[in-house]
Amino acid sequence: MHALFSIVGLALLSGLAQAAPASQARGNNNGGGGQRVGIAVPDKNSNDLKALVGDDSKVDWYYTWELNDSPVIRKANPKAEFLPQVGPRDVVATDPSNPTLNEDSAKKLSALRKSGSKRLLCFNEPDEEVKNGGTGLDPALVAKYYKHVIMPLKEQGWQISHPVVTGSPRGLGWLQKFATECRALNGNADCPTDFVSVHWYGAASGLGNWVGELHDFYKSYRNKPKFWFTELGVPKAGVEGQGTRDQNMDFLTQARQLFQQNNFVEAYAWFGVNRDTHYNAWTGSGVSLFDGNGELNNLGNMLKLGTSS
């Protein structure tokens, strides 16, 4: 999914009912233990965001599906880490054999790196069609982008992630094809990745299966990457009685327990950083972290403070 107000991707799985100064340390507010807590931010300028970050919050990282930071979060908590995300519009492919970053995107990334950002996401939901919120990209094309555009950014100090797929069976299949195509371009060696960002929507039981599948797929990599779940939630998805606030709170509790049992899951972000009056038919209002007045609801406080349902 690009953001809350776009047409969302159909990540329906088995579990569903079918920028701070560089000198300033980027903080982890969880006290050094457990997975890092983040948020997927659809509205960079919403003042509601201030309620989610700060000294008393577990939330210490965020992203916006693009290269543009959130001025609200940056001001409210300069220590929070911003993860920019490269997309197809950042790539110039006039010469198909040698795609590059466009000049404006290259300048933005250079400035972000100097200001303290160090992790880079790329290509949101390439396994999903554009009309459903993905980027609908062929694995062979993205492998070429990754080889020529993303991998060179490691030399600038970026920690890079493989493209961010949905949690559907289609997502794993896409990753498998991408890995094959990328190896062919990289002298039969795995295309390097420092961490792997993925999405999940559905029940905690299905999330457990997805974690296992990812771990099995990447266990052959010499440098075994950690996993970052950059979208999580239980959406309504058109099913009456599904995706309620209580179900999302129970899911978050179970997801945390699952992640704590698997130390190769390093971080997670919630998808629902909006008021419960602003949602779409697929997500429903149960994923929302704010009430209609912009105050954190029970789910929002649970995410922020690291408490259980």
Side-chain angles (χ1 to χ4, degrees):
M1 300 183 187
H2 285 304
L4 184 67
F5 302 110
S6 41
I7 302 176
V8 294
L10 300 178
L12 296 175
L13 303 230
S14 57
L16 263 172
Q18 305 295 20
S23 60
Q24 203 163 15
R26 298 287 184 167
N28 184 344
N29 296 342
N30 65 12
Q35 286 69 31
R36 295 182 59 184
V37 183
I39 48 176
V41 179
D43 183 355
K44 301 181 292 293
N45 299 306
S46 171
N47 285 321
D48 293 350
L49 296 169
K50 291 185 288 187
L52 271 172
V53 298
D55 292 337
D56 62 339
S57 175
K58 299 294 184 182
V59 176
D60 79 329
W61 69 276
Y62 62 102
Y63 75 106
T64 61
W65 292 275
E66 56 186 40
L67 304 184
N68 297 313
D69 198 349
S70 165
V72 175
I73 296 179
R74 187 171 58 228
K75 183 176 181 180
N77 182 9
K79 293 182 180 180
E81 182 182 0
F82 171 60
L83 276 65
Q85 183 163 30
V86 171
R89 64 185 176 186
D90 299 306
V91 176
V92 177
T94 306
D95 178 0
S97 65
N98 187 31
T100 61
L101 272 176
N102 67 49
E103 184 177 355
D104 183 58
S105 297
K107 288 179 179 178
K108 285 182 178 179
L109 282 177
S110 179
L112 286 167
R113 185 68 193 95
K114 290 176 181 177
S115 71
S117 289
K118 58 185 179 181
R119 291 176 179 84
L120 182 69
L121 304 171
C122 68
F123 305 112
N124 184 65
E125 296 191 351
D127 56 307
E128 182 58 87
E129 296 179 17
V130 173
K131 67 178 182 180
N132 293 326
T135 46
L137 297 170
D138 181 75
L141 176 65
V142 179
K144 189 175 296 184
Y145 287 177
Y146 194 82
K147 168 69 175 177
H148 293 280
V149 177
I150 303 301
M151 285 171 53
L153 292 171
K154 281 182 67 68
E155 298 175 7
Q156 299 178 18
W158 287 102
Q159 295 179 26
I160 59 175
S161 169
H162 277 174
V164 188
V165 298
T166 68
S168 70
R170 179 181 59 247
L172 182 59
W174 193 97
L175 271 180
Q176 291 168 335
K177 293 177 182 176
F178 166 79
T180 298
E181 297 286 349
C182 215
R183 290 187 191 107
L185 295 172
N186 199 41
N188 291 322
D190 292 325
C191 281
T193 181
D194 298 293
F195 66 109
V196 175
S197 171
V198 293
H199 295 167
W200 173 263
Y201 291 95
S205 57
L207 174 61
N209 293 336
W210 184 217
V211 168
E213 290 173 344
L214 288 167
H215 185 254
D216 286 345
F217 178 62
Y218 280 100
K219 67 183 180 183
S220 65
Y221 277 62
R222 184 178 64 178
N223 297 322
K224 295 177 177 57
K226 299 285 189 178
F227 300 106
W228 286 50
F229 279 82
T230 49
E231 288 186 28
L232 282 177
V234 183
K236 182 177 180 181
V239 179
E240 192 65 33
Q242 179 175 280
T244 65
R245 179 72 38 72
D246 286 345
Q247 287 173 341
N248 273 282
M249 291 175 69
D250 288 342
F251 167 78
L252 180 53
T253 296
Q254 293 176 62
R256 282 172 168 162
Q257 292 170 348
L258 173 68
F259 294 158
Q260 288 167 4
Q261 294 165 10
N262 297 277
N263 61 8
F264 46 83
V265 178
E266 190 169 50
Y268 64 91
W270 193 257
F271 182 85
V273 188
N274 60 283
R275 299 187 183 191
D276 59 17
T277 50
H278 287 154
Y279 63 91
N280 57 45
W282 195 83
T283 63
S285 62
V287 299
S288 303
L289 300 182
F290 299 95
D291 64 22
N293 296 316
E295 300 292 331
L296 286 174
N297 57 29
N298 289 341
L299 178 61
N301 277 307
M302 180 181 165
L303 182 81
K304 173 183 178 178
L305 302 176
T307 55
S308 299
S309 60

